[in-house]
Amino acid sequence: MQEITLHNPLDMHLHLREGEMLKNIIDFTTSQFCGAVVMPNLTTPITTTKLALQYKQEILQNSKDKNFMPFIALYITDTLDEEELVLARNNGLKILKLYPKGATTNSQNGLDEILTPRTLKIFEIAQKLGFILSIHGESNGFCLDREYEFGKIFAKIAQTFPKLKIIIEHMSDYRSIDLLETYENIYATLTLHHITMTLDDILGAGLRPHHFCKPILKTPKDRDMLLNLALQAHPKVSFGSDSAPHLEKNKLKDNAPGGIFSAPMILCALADLFEKHGKLENLQAFVSDNAKQIYNITNLKSKEIKLQRKHAWIPTQIKLIQNNLIPLNNGTMVEWSPI
Ligand code: DOR
Ligand code: ZN
């Protein structure tokens, strides 16, 4: 039977949540990945080094794989200062996460205005200390243009701080690809959902709230151009699932939160996708090698994930005590399965 081995797969954008939810979902990631960039938008957001280190402990305590590497992103708020940044860097944190206020789940502590003297100072210090700046780049304009409108801000930060690595998180708009090509210090993460789905998957037939995410899924052209970046494993992009669990009952409410829970079987789904396009040989770079380069990751314990070309099913639901989680592509078949 055909097999592939992936060395040190990394998920460069992940929501693991906290408490019971963390306990319920962490195995989906640690069984497939050797490490992940973990997002700080918890109910108590990760705004200090102390909170980040506690959160890292909580993740490791609940991880079966004790070598799993959580890279905790530190949430940029109005109170972040140089002293805290130095402390963070000295404690091994290296990723800052910028949320525009109100852009997404638990972003109420994010920045109201991005290019103020205060935040420019933070970016300057971040550059000096060698942080990576990960940005949820959306304006508060029309939903399909939000990422595009934010492009001016990416360009401005990239020009002003040419040594600061900036990540366009979950790139969703083909017009952002220009930024990657123009600025040496701009990179991107890509999700499985933005490279395989469009707005039609949310509202082209019946309304599918489980496909509602931020940034919103866009047009076939956006999907296809971003898929192409992934399939060629463009050296400036890495895989970041943005797997973001919300209870089914909350996803079905009015004013439901954005978020797609894509973690279950996601490496198998990626193998399927790359194989279907005749690019299986590029999967290793997309799910690991590019990220290692971009984020300068050198200290991973070696982990090999073997997949076999034998079909498997993505669970229809994950039953939790309180309620269910509905995984992306639930109940569908993938051609690859873990060994
Ligand atoms: O769809 C999303 N869900 N996008 C985000 O930016 C946040 C995430 C979440 O935390 O639920
Ligand atoms: Zn996210």
mmCIF file with all atom_site columns, all heavy atoms in Angstrom, residues 215-234:
data_model
loop_
_atom_site.group_PDB
_atom_site.id
_atom_site.type_symbol
_atom_site.label_atom_id
_atom_site.label_alt_id
_atom_site.label_comp_id
_atom_site.label_asym_id
_atom_site.label_entity_id
_atom_site.label_seq_id
_atom_site.pdbx_PDB_ins_code
_atom_site.Cartn_x
_atom_site.Cartn_y
_atom_site.Cartn_z
_atom_site.occupancy
_atom_site.B_iso_or_equiv
_atom_site.pdbx_formal_charge
_atom_site.auth_seq_id
_atom_site.auth_comp_id
_atom_site.auth_asym_id
_atom_site.auth_atom_id
_atom_site.pdbx_PDB_model_num
ATOM 1   N N   . PRO A 1 215 ? -11.265 35.508 8.107   1.00 0.00 ? 215 PRO A N   1
ATOM 2   C CA  . PRO A 1 215 ? -12.027 36.227 7.104   1.00 0.00 ? 215 PRO A CA  1
ATOM 3   C C   . PRO A 1 215 ? -12.995 35.286 6.371   1.00 0.00 ? 215 PRO A C   1
ATOM 4   O O   . PRO A 1 215 ? -12.735 34.098 6.246   1.00 0.00 ? 215 PRO A O   1
ATOM 5   C CB  . PRO A 1 215 ? -10.950 36.743 6.143   1.00 0.00 ? 215 PRO A CB  1
ATOM 6   C CG  . PRO A 1 215 ? -9.652  36.219 6.606   1.00 0.00 ? 215 PRO A CG  1
ATOM 7   C CD  . PRO A 1 215 ? -9.841  35.379 7.783   1.00 0.00 ? 215 PRO A CD  1
ATOM 8   N N   . ILE A 1 216 ? -14.051 35.894 5.856   1.00 0.00 ? 216 ILE A N   1
ATOM 9   C CA  . ILE A 1 216 ? -15.091 35.132 5.156   1.00 0.00 ? 216 ILE A CA  1
ATOM 10  C C   . ILE A 1 216 ? -14.484 34.447 3.915   1.00 0.00 ? 216 ILE A C   1
ATOM 11  O O   . ILE A 1 216 ? -13.537 34.958 3.313   1.00 0.00 ? 216 ILE A O   1
ATOM 12  C CB  . ILE A 1 216 ? -16.228 36.102 4.762   1.00 0.00 ? 216 ILE A CB  1
ATOM 13  C CG1 . ILE A 1 216 ? -17.501 35.367 4.380   1.00 0.00 ? 216 ILE A CG1 1
ATOM 14  C CG2 . ILE A 1 216 ? -15.820 37.056 3.653   1.00 0.00 ? 216 ILE A CG2 1
ATOM 15  C CD1 . ILE A 1 216 ? -18.416 35.152 5.524   1.00 0.00 ? 216 ILE A CD1 1
ATOM 16  N N   . LEU A 1 217 ? -15.042 33.272 3.567   1.00 0.00 ? 217 LEU A N   1
ATOM 17  C CA  . LEU A 1 217 ? -14.625 32.593 2.324   1.00 0.00 ? 217 LEU A CA  1
ATOM 18  C C   . LEU A 1 217 ? -14.999 33.484 1.141   1.00 0.00 ? 217 LEU A C   1
ATOM 19  O O   . LEU A 1 217 ? -16.018 34.174 1.184   1.00 0.00 ? 217 LEU A O   1
ATOM 20  C CB  . LEU A 1 217 ? -15.320 31.237 2.200   1.00 0.00 ? 217 LEU A CB  1
ATOM 21  C CG  . LEU A 1 217 ? -15.053 30.248 3.340   1.00 0.00 ? 217 LEU A CG  1
ATOM 22  C CD1 . LEU A 1 217 ? -15.943 29.022 3.200   1.00 0.00 ? 217 LEU A CD1 1
ATOM 23  C CD2 . LEU A 1 217 ? -13.590 29.849 3.395   1.00 0.00 ? 217 LEU A CD2 1
ATOM 24  N N   . LYS A 1 218 ? -14.195 33.437 0.084   1.00 0.00 ? 218 LYS A N   1
ATOM 25  C CA  . LYS A 1 218 ? -14.394 34.427 -0.985  1.00 0.00 ? 218 LYS A CA  1
ATOM 26  C C   . LYS A 1 218 ? -14.776 33.782 -2.310  1.00 0.00 ? 218 LYS A C   1
ATOM 27  O O   . LYS A 1 218 ? -15.640 32.916 -2.348  1.00 0.00 ? 218 LYS A O   1
ATOM 28  C CB  . LYS A 1 218 ? -13.165 35.321 -1.047  1.00 0.00 ? 218 LYS A CB  1
ATOM 29  C CG  . LYS A 1 218 ? -12.965 36.068 0.286   1.00 0.00 ? 218 LYS A CG  1
ATOM 30  C CD  . LYS A 1 218 ? -12.183 37.322 0.204   1.00 0.00 ? 218 LYS A CD  1
ATOM 31  C CE  . LYS A 1 218 ? -12.286 38.139 1.487   1.00 0.00 ? 218 LYS A CE  1
ATOM 32  N NZ  . LYS A 1 218 ? -11.933 37.403 2.721   1.00 0.00 ? 218 LYS A NZ  1
ATOM 33  N N   . THR A 1 219 ? -14.190 34.250 -3.405  1.00 0.00 ? 219 THR A N   1
ATOM 34  C CA  . THR A 1 219 ? -14.684 33.827 -4.733  1.00 0.00 ? 219 THR A CA  1
ATOM 35  C C   . THR A 1 219 ? -13.865 32.634 -5.255  1.00 0.00 ? 219 THR A C   1
ATOM 36  O O   . THR A 1 219 ? -12.779 32.329 -4.739  1.00 0.00 ? 219 THR A O   1
ATOM 37  C CB  . THR A 1 219 ? -14.510 34.994 -5.732  1.00 0.00 ? 219 THR A CB  1
ATOM 38  O OG1 . THR A 1 219 ? -13.090 35.168 -5.949  1.00 0.00 ? 219 THR A OG1 1
ATOM 39  C CG2 . THR A 1 219 ? -15.086 36.292 -5.203  1.00 0.00 ? 219 THR A CG2 1
ATOM 40  N N   . PRO A 1 220 ? -14.357 31.984 -6.323  1.00 0.00 ? 220 PRO A N   1
ATOM 41  C CA  . PRO A 1 220 ? -13.567 30.902 -6.914  1.00 0.00 ? 220 PRO A CA  1
ATOM 42  C C   . PRO A 1 220 ? -12.162 31.368 -7.330  1.00 0.00 ? 220 PRO A C   1
ATOM 43  O O   . PRO A 1 220 ? -11.195 30.629 -7.174  1.00 0.00 ? 220 PRO A O   1
ATOM 44  C CB  . PRO A 1 220 ? -14.400 30.493 -8.132  1.00 0.00 ? 220 PRO A CB  1
ATOM 45  C CG  . PRO A 1 220 ? -15.810 30.815 -7.733  1.00 0.00 ? 220 PRO A CG  1
ATOM 46  C CD  . PRO A 1 220 ? -15.706 32.088 -6.930  1.00 0.00 ? 220 PRO A CD  1
ATOM 47  N N   . LYS A 1 221 ? -12.056 32.592 -7.798  1.00 0.00 ? 221 LYS A N   1
ATOM 48  C CA  . LYS A 1 221 ? -10.725 33.087 -8.206  1.00 0.00 ? 221 LYS A CA  1
ATOM 49  C C   . LYS A 1 221 ? -9.775  33.179 -7.002  1.00 0.00 ? 221 LYS A C   1
ATOM 50  O O   . LYS A 1 221 ? -8.607  32.797 -7.084  1.00 0.00 ? 221 LYS A O   1
ATOM 51  C CB  . LYS A 1 221 ? -10.869 34.457 -8.881  1.00 0.00 ? 221 LYS A CB  1
ATOM 52  C CG  . LYS A 1 221 ? -9.537  35.040 -9.306  1.00 0.00 ? 221 LYS A CG  1
ATOM 53  C CD  . LYS A 1 221 ? -9.696  36.244 -10.206 1.00 0.00 ? 221 LYS A CD  1
ATOM 54  C CE  . LYS A 1 221 ? -8.322  36.756 -10.622 1.00 0.00 ? 221 LYS A CE  1
ATOM 55  N NZ  . LYS A 1 221 ? -8.382  37.879 -11.513 1.00 0.00 ? 221 LYS A NZ  1
ATOM 56  N N   . ASP A 1 222 ? -10.306 33.712 -5.895  1.00 0.00 ? 222 ASP A N   1
ATOM 57  C CA  . ASP A 1 222 ? -9.481  33.790 -4.682  1.00 0.00 ? 222 ASP A CA  1
ATOM 58  C C   . ASP A 1 222 ? -9.030  32.388 -4.274  1.00 0.00 ? 222 ASP A C   1
ATOM 59  O O   . ASP A 1 222 ? -7.852  32.138 -4.037  1.00 0.00 ? 222 ASP A O   1
ATOM 60  C CB  . ASP A 1 222 ? -10.270 34.433 -3.532  1.00 0.00 ? 222 ASP A CB  1
ATOM 61  C CG  . ASP A 1 222 ? -10.589 35.887 -3.803  1.00 0.00 ? 222 ASP A CG  1
ATOM 62  O OD1 . ASP A 1 222 ? -9.641  36.684 -3.889  1.00 0.00 ? 222 ASP A OD1 1
ATOM 63  O OD2 . ASP A 1 222 ? -11.778 36.233 -3.968  1.00 0.00 ? 222 ASP A OD2 1
ATOM 64  N N   . ARG A 1 223 ? -10.004 31.489 -4.189  1.00 0.00 ? 223 ARG A N   1
ATOM 65  C CA  . ARG A 1 223 ? -9.693  30.114 -3.767  1.00 0.00 ? 223 ARG A CA  1
ATOM 66  C C   . ARG A 1 223 ? -8.633  29.505 -4.674  1.00 0.00 ? 223 ARG A C   1
ATOM 67  O O   . ARG A 1 223 ? -7.642  28.951 -4.197  1.00 0.00 ? 223 ARG A O   1
ATOM 68  C CB  . ARG A 1 223 ? -10.970 29.265 -3.825  1.00 0.00 ? 223 ARG A CB  1
ATOM 69  C CG  . ARG A 1 223 ? -10.746 27.797 -3.518  1.00 0.00 ? 223 ARG A CG  1
ATOM 70  C CD  . ARG A 1 223 ? -11.882 26.939 -4.049  1.00 0.00 ? 223 ARG A CD  1
ATOM 71  N NE  . ARG A 1 223 ? -12.060 27.137 -5.489  1.00 0.00 ? 223 ARG A NE  1
ATOM 72  C CZ  . ARG A 1 223 ? -13.145 26.800 -6.174  1.00 0.00 ? 223 ARG A CZ  1
ATOM 73  N NH1 . ARG A 1 223 ? -14.160 26.247 -5.552  1.00 0.00 ? 223 ARG A NH1 1
ATOM 74  N NH2 . ARG A 1 223 ? -13.228 27.013 -7.475  1.00 0.00 ? 223 ARG A NH2 1
ATOM 75  N N   . ASP A 1 224 ? -8.805  29.637 -5.976  1.00 0.00 ? 224 ASP A N   1
ATOM 76  C CA  . ASP A 1 224 ? -7.908  28.950 -6.900  1.00 0.00 ? 224 ASP A CA  1
ATOM 77  C C   . ASP A 1 224 ? -6.496  29.532 -6.859  1.00 0.00 ? 224 ASP A C   1
ATOM 78  O O   . ASP A 1 224 ? -5.512  28.804 -6.925  1.00 0.00 ? 224 ASP A O   1
ATOM 79  C CB  . ASP A 1 224 ? -8.461  29.020 -8.329  1.00 0.00 ? 224 ASP A CB  1
ATOM 80  C CG  . ASP A 1 224 ? -9.753  28.226 -8.459  1.00 0.00 ? 224 ASP A CG  1
ATOM 81  O OD1 . ASP A 1 224 ? -10.076 27.461 -7.513  1.00 0.00 ? 224 ASP A OD1 1
ATOM 82  O OD2 . ASP A 1 224 ? -10.460 28.388 -9.473  1.00 0.00 ? 224 ASP A OD2 1
ATOM 83  N N   . MET A 1 225 ? -6.400  30.848 -6.739  1.00 0.00 ? 225 MET A N   1
ATOM 84  C CA  . MET A 1 225 ? -5.056  31.446 -6.711  1.00 0.00 ? 225 MET A CA  1
ATOM 85  C C   . MET A 1 225 ? -4.336  31.124 -5.408  1.00 0.00 ? 225 MET A C   1
ATOM 86  O O   . MET A 1 225 ? -3.125  30.915 -5.385  1.00 0.00 ? 225 MET A O   1
ATOM 87  C CB  . MET A 1 225 ? -5.139  32.943 -6.967  1.00 0.00 ? 225 MET A CB  1
ATOM 88  C CG  . MET A 1 225 ? -5.546  33.189 -8.422  1.00 0.00 ? 225 MET A CG  1
ATOM 89  S SD  . MET A 1 225 ? -5.380  34.872 -8.972  1.00 0.00 ? 225 MET A SD  1
ATOM 90  C CE  . MET A 1 225 ? -3.626  35.153 -8.886  1.00 0.00 ? 225 MET A CE  1
ATOM 91  N N   . LEU A 1 226 ? -5.078  31.064 -4.317  1.00 0.00 ? 226 LEU A N   1
ATOM 92  C CA  . LEU A 1 226 ? -4.452  30.719 -3.038  1.00 0.00 ? 226 LEU A CA  1
ATOM 93  C C   . LEU A 1 226 ? -4.093  29.230 -3.007  1.00 0.00 ? 226 LEU A C   1
ATOM 94  O O   . LEU A 1 226 ? -3.033  28.845 -2.500  1.00 0.00 ? 226 LEU A O   1
ATOM 95  C CB  . LEU A 1 226 ? -5.374  31.084 -1.870  1.00 0.00 ? 226 LEU A CB  1
ATOM 96  C CG  . LEU A 1 226 ? -5.657  32.590 -1.754  1.00 0.00 ? 226 LEU A CG  1
ATOM 97  C CD1 . LEU A 1 226 ? -6.759  32.867 -0.744  1.00 0.00 ? 226 LEU A CD1 1
ATOM 98  C CD2 . LEU A 1 226 ? -4.389  33.363 -1.375  1.00 0.00 ? 226 LEU A CD2 1
ATOM 99  N N   . LEU A 1 227 ? -4.969  28.406 -3.597  1.00 0.00 ? 227 LEU A N   1
ATOM 100 C CA  . LEU A 1 227 ? -4.663  26.969 -3.686  1.00 0.00 ? 227 LEU A CA  1
ATOM 101 C C   . LEU A 1 227 ? -3.373  26.765 -4.460  1.00 0.00 ? 227 LEU A C   1
ATOM 102 O O   . LEU A 1 227 ? -2.521  25.953 -4.082  1.00 0.00 ? 227 LEU A O   1
ATOM 103 C CB  . LEU A 1 227 ? -5.831  26.233 -4.377  1.00 0.00 ? 227 LEU A CB  1
ATOM 104 C CG  . LEU A 1 227 ? -5.577  24.753 -4.700  1.00 0.00 ? 227 LEU A CG  1
ATOM 105 C CD1 . LEU A 1 227 ? -5.323  23.944 -3.428  1.00 0.00 ? 227 LEU A CD1 1
ATOM 106 C CD2 . LEU A 1 227 ? -6.753  24.147 -5.471  1.00 0.00 ? 227 LEU A CD2 1
ATOM 107 N N   . ASN A 1 228 ? -3.221  27.543 -5.509  1.00 0.00 ? 228 ASN A N   1
ATOM 108 C CA  . ASN A 1 228 ? -2.016  27.422 -6.317  1.00 0.00 ? 228 ASN A CA  1
ATOM 109 C C   . ASN A 1 228 ? -0.746  27.740 -5.503  1.00 0.00 ? 228 ASN A C   1
ATOM 110 O O   . ASN A 1 228 ? 0.266   27.059 -5.620  1.00 0.00 ? 228 ASN A O   1
ATOM 111 C CB  . ASN A 1 228 ? -2.154  28.346 -7.535  1.00 0.00 ? 228 ASN A CB  1
ATOM 112 C CG  . ASN A 1 228 ? -0.975  28.197 -8.453  1.00 0.00 ? 228 ASN A CG  1
ATOM 113 O OD1 . ASN A 1 228 ? -0.523  27.092 -8.713  1.00 0.00 ? 228 ASN A OD1 1
ATOM 114 N ND2 . ASN A 1 228 ? -0.447  29.316 -8.928  1.00 0.00 ? 228 ASN A ND2 1
ATOM 115 N N   . LEU A 1 229 ? -0.835  28.755 -4.643  1.00 0.00 ? 229 LEU A N   1
ATOM 116 C CA  . LEU A 1 229 ? 0.316   29.067 -3.769  1.00 0.00 ? 229 LEU A CA  1
ATOM 117 C C   . LEU A 1 229 ? 0.651   27.876 -2.882  1.00 0.00 ? 229 LEU A C   1
ATOM 118 O O   . LEU A 1 229 ? 1.818   27.536 -2.676  1.00 0.00 ? 229 LEU A O   1
ATOM 119 C CB  . LEU A 1 229 ? -0.013  30.236 -2.826  1.00 0.00 ? 229 LEU A CB  1
ATOM 120 C CG  . LEU A 1 229 ? -0.029  31.667 -3.319  1.00 0.00 ? 229 LEU A CG  1
ATOM 121 C CD1 . LEU A 1 229 ? -0.295  32.589 -2.135  1.00 0.00 ? 229 LEU A CD1 1
ATOM 122 C CD2 . LEU A 1 229 ? 1.294   32.031 -3.976  1.00 0.00 ? 229 LEU A CD2 1
ATOM 123 N N   . ALA A 1 230 ? -0.409  27.257 -2.336  1.00 0.00 ? 230 ALA A N   1
ATOM 124 C CA  . ALA A 1 230 ? -0.202  26.117 -1.442  1.00 0.00 ? 230 ALA A CA  1
ATOM 125 C C   . ALA A 1 230 ? 0.394   24.938 -2.204  1.00 0.00 ? 230 ALA A C   1
ATOM 126 O O   . ALA A 1 230 ? 1.380   24.330 -1.774  1.00 0.00 ? 230 ALA A O   1
ATOM 127 C CB  . ALA A 1 230 ? -1.521  25.715 -0.786  1.00 0.00 ? 230 ALA A CB  1
ATOM 128 N N   . LEU A 1 231 ? -0.189  24.633 -3.363  1.00 0.00 ? 231 LEU A N   1
ATOM 129 C CA  . LEU A 1 231 ? 0.243   23.447 -4.112  1.00 0.00 ? 231 LEU A CA  1
ATOM 130 C C   . LEU A 1 231 ? 1.688   23.547 -4.582  1.00 0.00 ? 231 LEU A C   1
ATOM 131 O O   . LEU A 1 231 ? 2.395   22.553 -4.648  1.00 0.00 ? 231 LEU A O   1
ATOM 132 C CB  . LEU A 1 231 ? -0.668  23.233 -5.338  1.00 0.00 ? 231 LEU A CB  1
ATOM 133 C CG  . LEU A 1 231 ? -2.103  22.800 -5.045  1.00 0.00 ? 231 LEU A CG  1
ATOM 134 C CD1 . LEU A 1 231 ? -2.914  22.791 -6.337  1.00 0.00 ? 231 LEU A CD1 1
ATOM 135 C CD2 . LEU A 1 231 ? -2.149  21.431 -4.370  1.00 0.00 ? 231 LEU A CD2 1
ATOM 136 N N   . GLN A 1 232 ? 2.111   24.781 -4.893  1.00 0.00 ? 232 GLN A N   1
ATOM 137 C CA  . GLN A 1 232 ? 3.518   24.912 -5.295  1.00 0.00 ? 232 GLN A CA  1
ATOM 138 C C   . GLN A 1 232 ? 4.403   25.096 -4.064  1.00 0.00 ? 232 GLN A C   1
ATOM 139 O O   . GLN A 1 232 ? 5.614   25.238 -4.182  1.00 0.00 ? 232 GLN A O   1
ATOM 140 C CB  . GLN A 1 232 ? 3.726   26.035 -6.313  1.00 0.00 ? 232 GLN A CB  1
ATOM 141 C CG  . GLN A 1 232 ? 2.978   27.301 -6.011  1.00 0.00 ? 232 GLN A CG  1
ATOM 142 C CD  . GLN A 1 232 ? 3.535   28.537 -6.716  1.00 0.00 ? 232 GLN A CD  1
ATOM 143 O OE1 . GLN A 1 232 ? 4.736   28.816 -6.660  1.00 0.00 ? 232 GLN A OE1 1
ATOM 144 N NE2 . GLN A 1 232 ? 2.662   29.281 -7.351  1.00 0.00 ? 232 GLN A NE2 1
ATOM 145 N N   . ALA A 1 233 ? 3.804   25.080 -2.868  1.00 0.00 ? 233 ALA A N   1
ATOM 146 C CA  . ALA A 1 233 ? 4.539   25.311 -1.629  1.00 0.00 ? 233 ALA A CA  1
ATOM 147 C C   . ALA A 1 233 ? 5.410   26.562 -1.777  1.00 0.00 ? 233 ALA A C   1
ATOM 148 O O   . ALA A 1 233 ? 6.621   26.529 -1.514  1.00 0.00 ? 233 ALA A O   1
ATOM 149 C CB  . ALA A 1 233 ? 5.355   24.095 -1.205  1.00 0.00 ? 233 ALA A CB  1
ATOM 150 N N   . HIS A 1 234 ? 4.794   27.620 -2.224  1.00 0.00 ? 234 HIS A N   1
ATOM 151 C CA  . HIS A 1 234 ? 5.482   28.911 -2.353  1.00 0.00 ? 234 HIS A CA  1
ATOM 152 C C   . HIS A 1 234 ? 6.270   29.159 -1.059  1.00 0.00 ? 234 HIS A C   1
ATOM 153 O O   . HIS A 1 234 ? 5.725   29.021 0.036   1.00 0.00 ? 234 HIS A O   1
ATOM 154 C CB  . HIS A 1 234 ? 4.423   30.002 -2.568  1.00 0.00 ? 234 HIS A CB  1
ATOM 155 C CG  . HIS A 1 234 ? 4.985   31.348 -2.892  1.00 0.00 ? 234 HIS A CG  1
ATOM 156 N ND1 . HIS A 1 234 ? 5.746   32.071 -1.995  1.00 0.00 ? 234 HIS A ND1 1
ATOM 157 C CD2 . HIS A 1 234 ? 4.903   32.104 -4.015  1.00 0.00 ? 234 HIS A CD2 1
ATOM 158 C CE1 . HIS A 1 234 ? 6.108   33.211 -2.551  1.00 0.00 ? 234 HIS A CE1 1
ATOM 159 N NE2 . HIS A 1 234 ? 5.621   33.261 -3.777  1.00 0.00 ? 234 HIS A NE2 1
#
